């Protein structure tokens, strides 16, 4: 931990550390006003690729630390702030030789984004991931590789300053959601002092709502002492929805379909179960019914309100890929796989499902190819609420 419990931005000394992913000993400059800590180096595994990868990361970090006019000395590590890390690195492994020299390693070092939260980090993590989604055109081919690190539960200035100094050493961007105004102000001033690009994800919208409501925010993170969250009807409704959805998975208990808010129908591996659980966590009772060739659908599916039912479909090539991976995971034999993941069977099953969905034109058909669970859920809920509130909607089978 940093020695002093109160730090002012002007006298912060940069105590550079190696990357949190490296777990190397800390390097400290003589003019640092406080100590920074880092875990001891982990012993590399026997793989030559991992050895070269570790060596290359150490060399890269060393170049960053050897700044002009800086002298460094080792200090003993103690209790570091541990991030949850996502590393995007390209390593070219020359398996034809056992040489571990740095010439064997070809690497694309990504830029770092530090995500800091005084709570679970859910908000800042999902916000950053949503923004990174706008850069898939270069992230996929590693044209602009990115390393993201999540620091959650940061509720002390000392720990915050440790992260800021690490970000300064890494040349990272810092994005934070800090409910406490003094913590957010400390982060802002420290980042300005060290020239770190930073974004406050929570502050601007909190201030705007406070102005709109004419009420000051509490300034306390979720779960902080003094904040109580009573168990409301909405909470118990969500718990009930989750329990119902689990019991109704994969066509179980068809006699209870009339109790469901939403019913999902589709062939195997179209994402019915994860979509059901996601919707249940939002408070919707969801049942899912598999469409399988040669197996009749439950009669109750055609007796419930048809506006509850949503069909799911997917591209056959994508479905075949998913099924092959699933079959391999389950240890299916080649004979079993041929009846599940071969293209002819996949196309026949999708055509069988298409005919059933076409016979029920009130059921909207949602194309899930390339969609995240959240995206498919958004389509389902939009259609669900449009119907519930009697919004105009064509009564035809349509793909969304």
């Amino acid at each position: 931990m940093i020695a002093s419990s109160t730090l002012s931005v002007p006298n912060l000394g940069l105590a550079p550390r190696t990357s949190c992913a490296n777990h190397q000993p800390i390097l400290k400059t003589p003019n640092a006003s406080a100590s920074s800590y880092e875990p001891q180096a982990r012993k590399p595994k026997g793989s030559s690729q991992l050895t070269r990868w570790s060596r290359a990361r150490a060399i890269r970090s060393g170049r960053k630390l050897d700044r002009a006019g800086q002298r460094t000395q080792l200090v003993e590590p103690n209790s570091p702030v541990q991030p949850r890390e996502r590393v995007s690195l390209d390593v070219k492994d020359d398996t034809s030789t056992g040489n571990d020299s740095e010439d064997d390693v070809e690497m694309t070092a990504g830029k770092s984004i530090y995500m800091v939260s005084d709570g679970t980090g859910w908000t800042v993590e999902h916000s950053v991931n949503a923004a990174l989604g706008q850069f898939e055109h270069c992230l996929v081919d590693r044209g602009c590789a990115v390393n993201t690190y999540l620091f959650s539960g940061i509720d002390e200035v000392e720990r915050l300053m440790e992260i800021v100094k690490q970000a300064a050493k890494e040349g990272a961007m810092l994005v934070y959601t800090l409910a406490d105004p003094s913590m957010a102000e400390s982060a802002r001033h420290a980042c300005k002092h060290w020239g770190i690009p930073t974004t406050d994800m929570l502050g601007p919208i909190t201030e705007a709502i406070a102005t709109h409501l004419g009420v000051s925010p509490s300034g306390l993170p979720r779960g902080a002492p003094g904040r109580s969250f009573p168990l409301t009807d909405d909470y118990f409704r969500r718990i009930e929805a989750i329990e119902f959805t689990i019991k109704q998975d994969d066509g179980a208990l068809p006699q209870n379909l009339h109790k469901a808010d939403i019913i999902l129908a589709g062939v195997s591996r179209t994402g019915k179960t994860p979509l059901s659980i996601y919707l249940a966590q939002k408070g919707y009772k969801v049942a899912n019914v598999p469409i399988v060739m040669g197996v009749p659908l439950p009669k109750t599916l055609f007796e419930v309100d048809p506006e509850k039912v949503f069909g799911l479909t997917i591209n056959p090539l994508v479905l075949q890929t998913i099924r092959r991976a699933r079959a391999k995971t389950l240890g299916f034999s080649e004979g079993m796989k041929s009846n599940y993941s071969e293209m002819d069977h996949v196309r026949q099953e999708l055509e069988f499902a298409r005919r059933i969905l076409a016979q029920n034109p009130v059921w909207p058909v949602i194309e899930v190819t390339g969609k995240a669970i959240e995206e498919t859920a958004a389509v389902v809920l939009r259609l669900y609420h449009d119907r519930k509130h009697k919004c105009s909607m064509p009564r035809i089978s349509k793909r969304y």
Side-chain angles (χ1 to χ4, degrees):
M1 293 291 293
I2 292 179
S4 173
S5 60
T6 56
L7 296 175
S8 59
V9 173
N11 64 6
L12 279 176
L14 177 58
R17 312 186 312 178
T18 58
S19 170
C20 295
N22 287 344
H23 302 291
Q24 299 289 340
I26 308 244
L27 295 172
K28 178 183 176 184
T29 57
N31 65 344
S33 64
S35 301
S36 296
Y37 300 99
E38 188 68 18
Q40 292 285 359
R42 289 186 298 183
K43 185 177 180 180
K45 297 182 180 179
S47 166
S48 61
Q49 179 178 352
L50 290 175
T51 301
R52 287 192 290 274
W53 180 34
S54 177
R55 182 191 294 270
R57 287 181 64 94
I59 292 170
R60 178 168 61 87
S61 297
R63 283 201 298 269
K64 285 189 175 182
L65 290 170
D66 292 337
R67 296 171 181 166
Q70 271 195 352
R71 291 177 302 152
T72 61
Q73 60 183 11
L74 286 174
V75 298
E76 292 298 321
N78 199 338
S79 302
V81 177
Q82 292 287 358
R84 187 167 78 217
E85 172 202 2
R86 293 157 186 78
V87 181
S88 175
L89 292 172
D90 287 341
V91 181
K92 184 176 181 181
D93 182 19
D94 185 4
T95 56
S96 62
T97 177
N99 187 3
D100 287 343
S101 70
E102 60 226 50
D103 293 334
D104 287 341
V105 181
E106 182 178 309
M107 174 177 295
T108 300
K111 293 193 173 182
S112 297
I113 299 176
Y114 282 21
M115 304 175 291
V116 181
S117 170
D118 50 14
T120 63
W122 189 96
T123 301
V124 66
E125 183 179 22
H126 283 72
S127 298
V128 169
N129 286 339
L132 287 175
Q134 299 298 312
F135 301 93
E136 289 179 347
H137 56 283
C138 70
L139 289 174
V140 172
D141 60 6
R142 305 296 175 89
C144 53
V146 172
N147 308 331
T148 62
Y149 304 81
L150 175 62
F151 300 84
S152 58
I154 305 302
D155 54 4
E156 297 175 356
V157 174
E158 292 91 339
R159 301 173 71 197
L160 177 62
M161 292 302 106
E162 183 181 358
I163 295 167
V164 170
K165 287 185 282 185
Q166 172 69 14
K169 190 276 295 183
E170 284 275 330
M173 174 184 182
L174 192 139
V175 183
Y176 59 89
T177 52
L178 299 169
D180 184 346
S182 63
M183 287 281 288
E185 188 70 5
S186 296
R188 188 178 68 83
H189 281 301
C191 290
K192 182 178 180 181
H193 178 75
W194 292 111
I196 302 171
T198 182
T199 299
D200 180 359
M201 300 297 300
L202 193 61
I205 189 171
T206 301
E207 293 174 4
I209 293 175
T211 301
H212 181 66
L213 299 179
V215 178
S216 298
S218 68
L220 296 174
R222 294 181 65 89
R227 280 194 74 174
S228 60
F229 293 92
L231 300 180
T232 62
D233 291 341
D234 180 64
Y235 170 82
F236 288 107
R237 189 162 46 249
R238 286 191 293 115
I239 297 300
E240 183 181 0
I242 292 171
E243 292 176 345
F244 176 88
T245 300
I246 292 173
K247 292 178 181 178
Q248 297 296 138
D249 186 38
D250 203 27
L253 304 176
Q255 66 272 20
N256 291 336
L257 288 179
H258 67 281
K259 298 180 182 178
D261 298 315
I262 296 170
I263 302 172
L264 305 175
V267 301
S268 173
R269 314 316 298 175
T270 50
K272 298 185 298 299
T273 296
L275 178 58
S276 298
I277 297 298
Y278 181 86
L279 292 170
Q281 290 175 343
K282 292 180 173 292
Y284 299 92
K285 294 181 179 179
V286 185
N288 71 78
V289 179
I291 299 177
V292 183
M293 284 194 306
V295 179
L297 291 170
K299 293 180 179 179
T300 48
L301 179 61
F302 304 98
E303 296 170 355
V304 300
D305 181 358
E307 294 191 344
K308 291 182 177 183
V309 185
F310 297 82
L312 303 180
T313 190
I314 191 171
N315 179 276
L317 291 174
V318 175
L319 180 58
Q320 182 190 37
T321 302
I322 295 172
R323 286 189 172 185
R324 280 181 172 173
R326 176 63 172 170
K328 184 177 180 180
T329 301
L330 295 176
F332 283 6
S333 66
E334 290 298 322
M336 295 174 69
K337 283 193 288 186
S338 65
N339 191 36
Y340 180 69
S341 59
E342 292 305 311
M343 181 54 71
D344 288 344
H345 182 78
V346 168
R347 291 187 184 278
Q348 290 172 11
E349 205 165 52
L350 286 172
E351 177 59 24
F352 177 75
R354 186 197 66 78
R355 289 197 300 267
I356 291 176
L357 297 174
Q359 292 167 7
N360 297 270
V362 180
W363 301 354
V365 181
I366 301 172
E367 172 66 63
V368 301
T369 305
K371 285 190 176 75
I373 295 298
E374 296 86 349
E375 294 174 305
T376 306
V379 175
V380 170
L381 293 180
R382 174 171 61 82
L383 297 174
Y384 173 80
H385 287 290
D386 281 352
R387 290 174 159 192
K388 189 174 181 180
H389 296 95
K390 305 301 180 183
C391 297
S392 59
M393 180 177 179
R395 297 178 65 85
I396 59 173
S397 182
K398 181 179 179 182
R399 295 198 178 197
Y400 294 88

